[in-house]
Amino acid sequence: MTTLLDPTRSTDRGMGDSVLDRVRVLLPRIAARSAEGEDARAVPAEIVAALREAGVFRMALPRVWGGEQLGLLEGARVVREIARADGSTGWTVQAASMAWFFVRSLPRETLEKEVFGSGADLMLRGAVAPKGLATPVQGGYRISGRWPLASGPFTPDWMLGGFLVEGAPPLPDGRPDMRVALFRPEQVTFLDTWDAVGLRATQSTDFTMDDVFVPEHHTGPMFGDNNIPAPLYDLPYSPTGASHDAVVLGALDGALDDLAELAATKRPAFNPRALLGEDPVFQEEFAELQLRAAALAALSEQTGRVVMDRALGGEAPTAAEWFSYKGTTQHIHHEGIRILNEIMTLSGSAGLYSTSPLQRRWRDVRCVSQHVVGNTGALRQLGAVLSGQS
């Protein structure tokens, strides 16, 4: 079933070899192996390899470094399609493809020569939360810490981690001097901590480092200037909203597909002669859910396009534009839960069985909505701007 106002069905047609085209070929395989991935708590390695070949992990990186240089919305469309097939796979792609944003302040020479010197087909994993503590030494830092939620059911080429410098004074605005480091996976220890209610196949595990030396030129300020030559990275800090939104929107698309299938086959327990889809009350409620989901998708497109157009024009978004964009992310995360709850109610007992993809989508969206990106206080900030208080 085609979702109403679905941009992924009308964008990039005729290109033939876009990332989105290549991904669409893989969608039946992704969906068919979603239950297997959940049982193993890891997206199948063959799926990850196929997605890497399709270019999803380089899709946000600059063309001059070998990337696809997709913008905010184009990358989100790819994630949404994948999440429609499987939430864990969609999350894996959005986390790994967007994580490069958090190392944008590393020296340009480090990025250009050491990281991307042989191309952009790289896998990145880590956690930007400043859970590490660094001791300054000659030429760099010695870093120790434990970081949670390092999503990635794959062996990465690079790891990232946020850290604080021991004894460093706060920044002029009072915030601690948070920094980010890029290092190799063999320098960390992964812990088998990810046994969660949703996104089970993402391997969002903890990892630790114990007194590991990281050279100064592999670090940068968390809120520093952009040294990655692509407009996406010129946006204000944390532009991952559209890709986060896309996981929720893709799960909604898939859940509505599941409900349409039930409508055509399910017969109510006490009215076995009728199909669920023949019930006028069901029809009206189903239509309303479709429109609500379509409205969320349109809102994500509209607010994302405004800020991306600013970046393409070499400008910064206004406060109202930026907090509208971030507030959209917060709204989509939580309205998505409400819509999934209502879809589950309409599905009756059929959606509760472990064989149903609907229950997995339900749990995945609940898990996505717990992420800090959906709980940043952006709606309060938007309200303050609109009220002339900021």
Side-chain angles (χ1 to χ4, degrees):
M1 181 181 68
T2 299
T3 303
L4 297 175
L5 303 180
D6 183 348
T8 65
R9 299 301 174 187
S10 58
T11 304
D12 295 330
R13 284 180 179 172
M15 293 180 65
D17 193 37
S18 68
V19 176
L20 194 55
D21 290 321
R22 297 192 291 271
V23 160
R24 284 176 177 155
V25 174
L26 302 174
L27 296 179
R29 289 167 57 191
I30 294 171
R33 302 192 66 181
S34 57
E36 175 190 340
E38 171 140 322
D39 290 342
R41 289 191 295 140
V43 176
E46 296 86 351
I47 297 296
V48 174
L51 286 167
R52 186 175 192 171
E53 185 176 353
V56 301
F57 298 110
R58 65 175 183 268
M59 65 181 178
L61 291 169
R63 290 191 188 93
V64 294
W65 291 350
E68 303 281 345
Q69 199 168 316
L70 300 190
L72 198 64
L73 300 180
E74 291 77 19
R77 291 175 191 137
V78 172
V79 172
R80 180 176 168 185
E81 285 277 280
I82 297 169
R84 186 176 197 155
D86 177 55
S88 284
T89 309
W91 180 267
T92 294
V93 170
Q94 81 83 22
S97 63
M98 293 303 299
W100 294 109
F101 183 87
F102 301 115
V103 298
R104 65 177 183 166
S105 67
L106 267 65
R108 173 71 174 261
E109 187 174 8
T110 299
L111 295 168
E112 195 164 66
K113 294 184 178 180
E114 293 190 46
V115 179
F116 298 107
S118 298
D121 241 347
L122 301 173
M123 308 285 277
L124 179 63
R125 186 177 176 184
V128 74
K131 297 293 186 177
L133 186 62
T135 302
V137 295
Q138 184 175 1
Y141 302 96
R142 301 202 71 88
I143 303 178
S144 298
R146 175 170 174 166
W147 290 259
L149 304 172
S151 298
F154 51 78
T155 300
D157 299 286
W158 291 93
M159 295 287 299
L160 71 89
F163 68 95
L164 300 174
V165 179
E166 190 172 19
L171 298 175
D173 62 5
R175 290 182 299 177
D177 185 10
M178 293 180 282
R179 302 182 68 80
V180 65
L182 200 60
F183 37 86
R184 292 294 191 177
E186 56 266 25
Q187 296 177 291
V188 313
T189 299
F190 291 103
L191 307 176
D192 186 12
T193 53
W194 187 247
D195 190 0
V197 67
L199 299 178
R200 288 182 58 80
T202 62
Q203 285 196 355
S204 300
T205 63
D206 291 13
F207 70 93
T208 64
M209 292 174 64
D210 185 16
D211 196 35
V212 172
F213 175 74
V214 178
E216 171 73 26
H217 66 278
H218 279 200
T219 71
M222 192 172 291
F223 304 105
D225 294 336
N226 172 35
N227 290 315
I228 297 179
L232 171 65
Y233 299 89
D234 290 328
L235 286 169
Y237 187 77
S238 189
T240 58
S243 62
H244 268 256
D245 295 350
V247 179
V248 177
L249 296 171
L252 289 176
D253 293 339
L256 290 166
D257 290 343
D258 298 338
L259 191 58
E261 185 176 339
L262 279 175
T265 58
K266 180 178 171 63
R267 296 181 184 274
F270 292 95
N271 189 10
R273 294 182 178 179
L275 289 169
L276 179 63
E278 295 172 340
D279 183 341
V281 175
F282 173 87
Q283 292 170 354
E284 185 162 346
E285 292 184 0
F286 191 9
E288 182 180 344
L289 292 171
Q290 280 277 2
L291 292 174
R292 285 167 61 190
L296 291 184
L299 180 62
S300 182
E301 281 271 320
Q302 191 269 331
T303 57
R305 185 172 302 283
V306 167
V307 299
M308 192 64 211
D309 282 351
R310 289 287 194 187
L312 290 169
E315 302 174 342
T318 67
E321 290 168 346
W322 183 244
F323 291 125
S324 291
Y325 168 69
K326 293 188 70 178
T328 289
T329 292
Q330 184 173 329
H331 175 64
I332 286 173
H333 280 56
H334 298 289
E335 177 65 5
I337 293 172
R338 290 186 282 267
I339 294 174
L340 252 299
N341 284 341
E342 293 178 46
I343 291 172
M344 282 293 288
T345 298
L346 284 182
S347 76
S349 60
L352 300 176
Y353 288 89
S354 59
T355 53
S356 169
L358 186 52
Q359 53 79 28
R360 185 165 56 250
R361 303 185 203 278
W362 185 40
R363 290 183 288 106
D364 286 346
V365 168
R366 176 69 265 184
C367 196
V368 173
S369 73
Q370 297 292 108
H371 195 280
V372 66
V373 169
N375 299 278
T376 60
L379 287 175
R380 292 194 301 274
Q381 293 170 301
L382 175 59
V385 169
L386 297 176
S387 303
Q389 302 302 309
S390 178

